[in-house]
Amino acid sequence: KINLKIDNIAVSINGGSTILEAARKINIRIPTLCYHEDLCVAGNCRVCVVEQAGSDRLLPACAMPVSEGMEIHTNSMKVRNARKQIVELLVSEHRADCTRCYKNGKCELQELASEYIVGENGFIDLVAHKGYTIDNFSPSIIKDDSKCIRCQRCVRTCDQLQSISALTVAHKGEHMKISSFFEKPMFEVVCTNCGQCVNRCPTGALTEKTYLDEVWSSLNSERKHVVVQTAPAVRIALGEALGMPAGEIVTGKMVSALRRLGFSSVLDTDFTADLTIIEEGNELLHRLKKVVKDKDDSVKLPMTTSCSPGWVKFIEHAFPEYLPNVSTAKSPQQMFGALAKTFYANKIGVEPENMVSVSIMPCTAKKYEADRPEMRSSGYKDVDYVLTTRELALMIKQAGIDFASLPDDEFDSIMGESSGAAVIFGATGGVMEAALRTAYEVVTGREVPFENLEITPVRGMESIREANIKIENVLPEWDFLEGVELKTCVAHGLSNAKKIMEAVRDGKAEYHFIEIMACPGGCLGGGGQPIPTSPAIRKKRSEAIYAEDRHKPIRKSHENPEVMHLYEEFLKEPLGHVSHKLLHTHYTE
Ligand code: HC1
């Protein structure tokens, strides 16, 4: 342990910790901008400077390790003056038309500018003297260079967490900027639209593309029947953007709010998450049969999940030779969209052209997914508009709804029922766990013992997790699986996905089934979730997801009565003709 004093308060902390970590331990707040808990330290913005007794130098608290006997002052005149100058300089390089900015009120630079009373200052307005670009070609992300303070959180996110490097640093000195390959629009480079950069950008330089106006105008159109679906991970994070603590489950209030906003049918992506398990689980069993029993080498294993659109885009770019390994099952969002404008529209007597399908997602890549040409199997755009959790919170605020005092409501029926297995889709490992709960029962004909329902080896925040499951005592039709050890793997964050795929490619890992989610923590840490999304917040959201599963009366996808009804009445059988038309697709390089 290292002992030091910060603002005359004694603190003891492990060696190797930084001054910032020591200060946080004793609840002293040091402002930061380039620092982010998920990323390696850059120490380039200097907003976190502190003074060390006996030294003339100011030290960056985020980058400076503690040492024995150190005496640090975080609030001396010298520190305050330096910070104020740094913030003034950053503001002078930033197009500070805050009232017209999407991040107004949620911008970290704006908060510091207000804290340090940065009004008129001695620096010239550099933005006014520079050209800048606003790239809004992507269906998911807007990049506005005039708002960028070059902290490089986005660059480190894209490189370290996601292994993409769609965003890089270009030029030097005052010309330095955050750029893309050959300064092309984000839409034309390898960006997966995951939005992790958006979630970490301290200003309005990277924001989601919003479709709020389009959704409001649909809601105000008398001719339109507006159907909304809500992703598993929205219900455990939406409250954060509306003043509630992290980890609060707000499913019922969210449903109430959506009704008050005027959505005609309030339905659940969790319903199609259950459906995905049936379709994708059957696809896995079908592939196992072809490979293990029929020795058909045209069928590929390991099979990977396909519900995370950032992951699908990643594999298209980085490992196109493995596209046949991606499950053909569409994501729950897109299965929902395809069913909404066919099965559901028919059920409620609405012409599909008069239906508007909106989804509320924790994810910016879902906006891109909905725009993909493959996603029009109803004959229309299956999902018209995708809003993030943050955008829904904004709608609720705009409508003047006091969210905390809303009563708990239930989803509408037909496509609103779901199991606990569907809810856990929102956490890394959840799709795998949900699939295993169902596969066990299908293959053995026996119920999963209650004490084994929670498959803990695939849970948690470890970046890559494996679980090998010996298949025993199977039903006669699955005899080729008797004694097979099913090898599964779960990874979250695209840098971990890359490691897994390299291991598979190099013959260093043999799996049957791999779950990959593009975002750290899975969808609960999605790019469209409330900001901030820190490791501690992801943990709380994850606990909430598993609590929601525990409270559900049905915890296995194949026991969802509305899904069973859908098969009886419409789909007839898993992987059948209708499923192939509406619920499956193939991805291309
Ligand atoms: Fe996800 Fe999914 S879990 S991809 O993370 O399979 O976004 O929440 O909606 O589609 O169900 C996201 C979440 C989400 C889909 C489901």
Side-chain angles (χ1 to χ4, degrees):
K1 289 274 182 190
I2 301 284
N3 301 297
L4 66 155
K5 277 189 177 172
I6 302 182
D7 296 341
N8 295 320
I9 301 170
V11 52
S12 178
I13 194 164
N14 288 337
S17 305
T18 61
I19 295 171
L20 180 68
E21 286 163 337
R24 287 185 173 182
K25 195 173 175 201
I26 49 174
N27 296 323
I28 291 176
R29 176 180 156 267
I30 297 174
T32 54
L33 274 176
C34 69
Y35 175 83
H36 194 285
E37 281 170 283
D38 283 329
L39 306 172
C40 79
V41 170
N44 59 20
C45 79
R46 287 338 221 210
V47 158
C48 67
V49 285
V50 293
E51 192 173 0
Q52 182 174 11
S55 162
D56 287 344
R57 283 192 313 143
L58 290 171
L59 308 172
C62 73
M64 188 56 68
V66 291
S67 59
E68 188 62 34
M70 234 179 186
E71 283 190 31
I72 297 295
H73 298 288
T74 71
N75 188 34
S76 64
M77 207 55 210
K78 190 171 174 178
V79 165
R80 271 198 311 279
N81 284 342
R83 279 194 199 142
K84 181 167 173 151
Q85 263 205 343
I86 290 162
V87 177
E88 283 175 349
L89 191 57
L90 289 171
V91 170
S92 77
E93 296 184 332
H94 172 93
R95 188 160 59 97
D97 61 345
C98 299
T99 50
R100 286 191 288 177
C101 180
Y102 188 59
K103 284 288 277 292
N104 187 16
K106 296 176 281 299
C107 166
E108 294 177 46
L109 180 64
Q110 187 185 39
E111 205 179 311
L112 280 178
S114 131
E115 204 169 296
Y116 285 85
I117 321 178
V118 175
E120 288 301 319
N121 66 65
F123 296 104
I124 56 164
D125 179 355
L126 287 172
V127 175
H129 297 266
K130 270 190 203 169
Y132 57 81
T133 315
I134 300 175
D135 169 6
N136 63 3
F137 292 108
S138 154
S140 300
I141 294 171
I142 296 179
K143 179 171 173 285
D144 180 348
D145 289 346
S146 70
K147 306 274 174 66
C148 177
I149 56 168
R150 305 184 290 184
C151 68
Q152 300 176 39
R153 277 194 200 169
C154 57
V155 173
R156 283 174 286 148
T157 299
C158 199
D159 177 37
Q160 292 161 19
L161 293 185
Q162 302 297 63
S163 284
I164 306 286
S165 301
L167 292 168
T168 54
V169 176
H171 312 302
K172 286 189 176 159
E174 67 161 310
H175 301 293
M176 192 266 248
K177 63 183 281 197
I178 307 306
S179 187
S180 53
F181 183 67
F182 278 117
E183 301 194 9
K184 289 187 175 197
M186 301 274 280
F187 187 51
E188 289 181 27
V189 297
V190 292
C191 170
T192 62
N193 301 289
C194 73
Q196 288 297 314
C197 56
V198 171
N199 204 284
R200 287 175 186 75
C201 178
T203 68
L206 288 158
T207 53
E208 69 259 36
K209 184 176 266 185
T210 181
Y211 297 89
L212 282 183
D213 288 345
E214 289 82 349
V215 172
W216 277 123
S217 96
S218 304
L219 289 171
N220 284 304
S221 160
E222 280 179 12
R223 279 185 310 113
K224 297 292 181 192
H225 184 100
V226 190
V227 170
V228 66
Q229 54 163 317
T230 61
V234 174
R235 67 206 66 201
I236 48 85
L238 176 64
E240 288 168 37
L242 294 161
M244 292 175 152
E248 197 92 352
I249 304 169
V250 295
T251 316
K253 290 186 191 307
M254 174 183 75
V255 173
S256 276
L258 290 165
R259 280 215 179 92
R260 287 226 198 158
L261 291 173
F263 287 97
S264 324
S265 301
V266 181
L267 301 169
D268 203 356
T269 315
D270 288 25
F271 167 81
T272 35
D274 279 330
L275 183 63
T276 298
I277 288 301
I278 313 288
E279 291 291 325
E280 195 166 302
N282 273 285
E283 183 186 351
L284 176 64
L285 292 172
H286 175 77
R287 287 189 190 223
L288 282 167
K289 180 167 178 280
K290 287 281 179 199
V291 173
V292 177
K293 188 178 179 189
D294 305 341
K295 312 285 179 222
D296 179 350
D297 59 11
S298 69
V299 173
K300 300 297 173 200
L301 284 177
M303 186 178 90
T304 80
T305 53
S306 56
C307 48
S308 165
W311 153 242
V312 171
K313 187 134 194 281
F314 178 78
I315 194 168
E316 285 176 323
H317 285 300
F319 296 93
E321 68 276 26
Y322 282 94
L323 279 170
N325 295 61
V326 178
S327 166
T328 60
K330 287 182 190 167
S331 75
Q333 165 177 276
Q334 293 307 139
M335 284 196 185
F336 185 101
L339 288 171
K341 292 193 180 176
T342 53
F343 167 73
Y344 187 74
N346 185 40
K347 276 286 217 195
I348 61 167
V350 168
E351 292 300 324
E353 60 264 33
N354 290 330
M355 180 176 276
V356 178
S357 162
V358 176
S359 74
I360 315 292
M361 292 281 141
C363 174
T364 49
K366 289 281 172 194
K367 294 174 188 271
Y368 153 79
E369 180 183 54
D371 261 15
R372 290 185 68 122
E374 300 91 344
M375 303 304 172
R376 290 165 188 266
S377 44
S378 63
Y380 303 86
K381 194 173 179 227
D382 294 333
V383 175
D384 293 293
Y385 305 115
V386 178
L387 304 181
T388 60
T389 311
R390 294 190 293 266
E391 287 171 275
L392 174 59
L394 209 52
M395 275 188 100
I396 292 170
K397 283 184 194 164
Q398 287 176 359
I401 294 171
D402 177 7
F403 188 72
S405 67
L406 286 176
D408 285 347
D409 258 6
E410 301 278 335
F411 287 103
D412 289 322
S413 62
I414 305 188
M415 287 173 59
E417 179 73 87
S418 66
S419 74
V423 178
I424 61 175
F425 261 59
T428 164
V431 180
M432 179 65 71
E433 183 170 344
L436 293 177
R437 286 182 192 176
T438 288
Y440 177 90
E441 298 200 358
V442 170
V443 170
T444 67
R446 295 189 306 279
E447 205 174 324
V448 181
F450 182 76
E451 63 279 12
N452 294 341
L453 209 50
E454 298 186 1
I455 305 169
T456 46
V458 296
R459 291 191 178 187
M461 291 293 166
E462 198 65 34
S463 48
I464 295 170
R465 309 183 295 285
E466 294 178 338
N468 295 343
I469 296 145
K470 186 91 177 269
I471 307 175
E472 287 171 320
N473 302 323
V474 296
L475 291 169
E477 62 199 283
W478 302 108
D479 59 355
F480 62 92
L481 288 177
E482 184 66 38
V484 169
E485 189 163 54
L486 188 75
K487 294 186 175 157
T488 68
C489 176
V490 170
H492 56 124
L494 291 173
S495 59
N496 297 315
K498 186 174 175 210
K499 284 183 201 152
I500 293 296
M501 293 312 294
E502 282 170 351
V504 168
R505 184 192 60 199
D506 299 343
K508 293 181 181 154
E510 273 192 20
Y511 301 114
H512 296 105
F513 188 28
I514 304 175
E515 178 208 292
I516 292 180
M517 287 293 177
C519 295
C523 291
L524 59 84
Q529 291 285 61
I531 299 170
T533 294
S534 64
I537 290 174
R538 284 197 291 269
K539 186 164 176 280
K540 290 211 167 115
R541 291 179 191 161
S542 157
E543 286 161 3
I545 285 227
Y546 290 116
E548 179 90 327
D549 166 38
R550 247 174 277 125
H551 296 143
K552 282 277 202 178
I554 302 165
R555 297 183 67 189
K556 288 169 268 179
S557 298
H558 57 283
E559 291 178 357
N560 180 332
E562 289 189 357
V563 170
M564 290 195 270
H565 180 76
L566 176 72
Y567 276 108
E568 275 158 31
E569 195 174 304
F570 186 67
L571 297 174
K572 304 302 176 198
E573 55 173 344
L575 307 182
H577 171 69
V578 188
S579 290
H580 269 292
K581 184 168 176 289
L582 295 179
L583 310 181
H584 290 258
T585 188
H586 286 279
Y587 297 102
T588 47
E589 279 181 45

